[in-house]
Amino acid sequence: MKKSNYFFAAAAVMMLAAACQDEGDIAAPVVQQAAEDRAASDSQETGKTLLTFTAGDGDASVSLQKTMYGDYANGTTPILWVTDDQVSVFPVSSSDNDMGTVKEGGKSDCVISVTTSEDANGYFALYPYNAYAEYSAADGKFSNIVIPAEQEVSENQFDPAADVMVAYSDGIEKSFAFKHIGTKLGITVPCSDVSEIQITCSADIAGTADVDFSNVSGAEPVISPKSDASTKTITLTCSDADGFKKGSIYYACLFPTADKSDIKITFVRKQGHLTVFYNAKINAMARAKRCTANPTGQKCHCLVTLDNLNKDENFPDDATKIVFGNTSQKPNADPSGNLDGLIDFYKVGTEYYIISEHEICMNGSLDEMFLYLNNHYEALKTVDFCNFNTENVTSMYNMFNKCSALTIIDLGDKFITSKVTDMGQMFGDCKSLKTIFVKEDFQLDKETSSANMFTGCQALVGGNNTKYSDSYKNDASYARIDGSEGKRGYFTKRSSSN
């Protein structure tokens, strides 16, 4: 197997997905024949010759040229070959499947030798070697190609036996530029004592397939899974002595036809506990990092991509409550996931808790954060921002718009609007919303655009019994605690029990 090093999120898988590098940064492995090393074969196979190839970094403009991940440095990923790696070589004019072997690995250039037929019409190649694979030049198709359903991975790596690639070389240049037939899913392990990772999907993601691939310049492989020999489940086990490590990334190889938004990841723990994420893109909901500009002078954690919560469907549709809390609100349960060691996720029945030791803050925009949320999560009734700091938030436009089933929103003690310039339609058409809790000394810190902020909130009642009315203003002039300074408002003062 060749080695290259490279990280990419997937998934944001909860998936928990990981830090990325762009695949275009990866140097392309090219296999070239060393003409001076060609020699007559001592093979007993008549008509075959021992051909010696060299393998180098190749054309960096060709994407997806990698097998194993290695060290990413200086803007590129080196290709490191591994001694005794094996490749299937198919002369175009015969039905032979000959095994080529890497004789000298561990560096960017290596020697590969294969005993095969001289063929002016060229060669097709398959990585890794598969004795049962065939190539038909007449059909332009590989058959019996396998992405295994059971994959053995190591930290920051994937199973090389699952990283299937194909290539073509004409009979003159004798140069292979491999192309992947599958895709990869990066998964960050959120907890300790994981014995295996199970990946399931409604579509086939592993098994046996045919691959259309011709000798036309620029041709890309097209995979066709065999329905009677494919599976919707992949199981990852770890080859490292210490097993899966909390916070580390592991990669699964799967058919590219799989819809990543439909993937479920299950972490099987050694004590029998199952940790389930319903969507491999869960990390798209919130990627954690330490604050570079702390709004309060206290240690905090930042959620930097939280604005598309509804679009990525990061919670199952039975969620009734979402809480952004501190450790005092941590439920009596094992965490279901973790973001970069900073924020823990808990699932208790149909309630979901996002817990951090210190403040959770958001930098930038909360526009459309929960827009149309209840089109996906019709059971969701409560959102609690009790440990959510908004001092660096600049816009809240459409933040809860059309959350038709929400009844309670607690904005917490750290709901700060000093940098917010737009609250337009923030609660618009939240027709079931009854109560909005804010801190005791809450007040808007600056003049903001706030047209239709409360339009359609027909069930909303302030803490002093001011009921929503179309005859009242719909803008931020009612974004105050009801009864404060003798004025009407739609907010309710938080109590110590909130």
Side-chain angles (χ1 to χ4, degrees), residues 376-413:
H376 300 288
Y377 310 117
E378 296 180 355
L380 184 62
K381 305 295 184 183
T382 303
V383 175
D384 188 338
F385 286 100
C386 48
N387 192 34
F388 197 87
N389 188 304
T390 62
E391 188 167 341
N392 278 343
V393 172
T394 57
S395 181
M396 298 179 180
Y397 177 75
N398 269 344
M399 185 173 175
F400 296 97
N401 193 10
K402 302 187 187 302
C403 290
S404 58
L406 278 174
T407 60
I408 297 175
I409 300 173
D410 189 339
L411 295 176
D413 290 335

Side-chain angles (χ1 to χ4, degrees), residues 24 52 170 198 226 247-248 251 289 299:
T52 303
D170 64 31
Q198 297 173 353
K226 292 185 176 181
S248 293
Y251 294 88
K289 70 176 185 180
K299 182 180 176 183

Side-chain angles (χ1 to χ4, degrees), residues 79 130 238 242 278 300 343 364 373 413 472:
I79 301 298
N130 179 348
C238 187
D242 296 333
Y278 286 77
C300 67
I343 298 173
L373 183 67
D413 290 335
Y472 299 154

Side-chain angles (χ1 to χ4, degrees), residues 92-356:
V92 169
S93 302
S94 75
S95 59
D96 294 339
N97 177 353
D98 298 317
M99 183 175 68
T101 304
V102 174
K103 294 300 183 183
E104 184 178 349
K107 55 185 180 179
S108 295
D109 296 313
C110 73
V111 175
I112 297 177
S113 64
V114 56
T115 299
T116 189
S117 304
E118 290 272 19
D119 196 331
N121 293 316
Y123 305 85
F124 285 88
L126 169 69
Y127 177 91
Y129 176 76
N130 179 348
Y132 300 100
E134 299 176 352
Y135 184 81
S136 169
D139 298 331
K141 181 182 294 185
F142 288 93
S143 57
N144 299 323
I145 304 300
V146 177
I147 292 183
E150 296 183 0
Q151 300 177 19
E152 188 176 56
V153 298
S154 57
E155 186 178 10
N156 296 328
Q157 303 287 353
F158 51 86
D159 187 341
D163 185 40
V164 181
M165 299 190 299
V166 295
Y168 169 76
S169 170
D170 64 31
I172 300 173
E173 296 295 332
K174 294 185 173 64
S175 174
F176 287 125
F178 284 91
K179 298 184 178 183
H180 285 258
I181 71 163
T183 189
K184 294 181 180 65
L185 185 67
I187 303 169
T188 300
V189 173
C191 48
S192 57
D193 298 325
V194 173
S195 59
E196 65 181 43
I197 301 172
Q198 297 173 353
I199 305 161
T200 58
C201 184
S202 61
D204 289 331
I205 55 176
T208 304
D210 293 334
V211 178
D212 291 320
F213 186 65
S214 71
N215 59 357
V216 176
S217 178
E220 296 294 331
V222 178
I223 189 168
S224 301
K226 292 185 176 181
S227 58
D228 59 344
S230 297
T231 177
K232 297 174 173 59
T233 300
I234 290 175
T235 300
L236 302 184
T237 56
C238 187
S239 60
D240 296 335
D242 296 333
F244 288 107
K245 186 186 300 183
K246 180 179 178 180
S248 293
I249 306 169
Y250 302 84
Y251 294 88
C253 299
L254 57 157
F255 290 156
T257 52
D259 180 0
K260 308 296 185 304
S261 66
D262 186 39
I263 287 175
K264 180 174 74 173
I265 299 176
T266 301
F267 297 92
V268 181
R269 304 186 70 179
K270 294 177 181 178
Q271 295 179 343
H273 180 75
L274 296 181
T275 302
V276 180
F277 298 109
Y278 286 77
N279 193 300
K281 295 194 292 184
I282 194 163
N283 197 43
M285 184 205 60
R287 184 166 307 138
K289 70 176 185 180
R290 297 195 182 279
C291 295
T292 56
N294 195 324
T296 63
Q298 299 177 2
K299 182 180 176 183
C300 67
H301 300 146
C302 288
L303 303 185
V304 294
T305 57
L306 210 122
D307 48 64
N308 286 321
L309 179 62
N310 62 301
K311 297 174 184 175
D312 288 303
E313 299 183 19
N314 297 289
F315 295 96
D317 56 13
D318 67 343
T320 58
K321 185 177 183 179
I322 300 173
V323 177
F324 296 86
N326 55 40
T327 52
S328 68
Q329 296 161 299
K330 181 173 66 175
N332 185 21
D334 288 331
S336 298
N338 178 272
L339 293 177
D340 300 339
L342 300 177
I343 298 173
D344 288 323
F345 287 76
Y346 296 83
K347 179 183 184 297
V348 180
T350 58
E351 297 183 354
Y352 291 79
Y353 294 80
I354 302 166
I355 302 296
S356 177

Side-chain angles (χ1 to χ4, degrees), residues 359-378:
E359 289 181 2
I360 299 171
C361 61
M362 177 70 190
N363 296 333
S365 171
L366 292 181
D367 288 357
E368 302 183 357
M369 180 177 179
F370 292 97
L371 178 65
Y372 289 107
L373 183 67
N374 291 104
N375 285 2
H376 300 288
Y377 310 117
E378 296 180 355

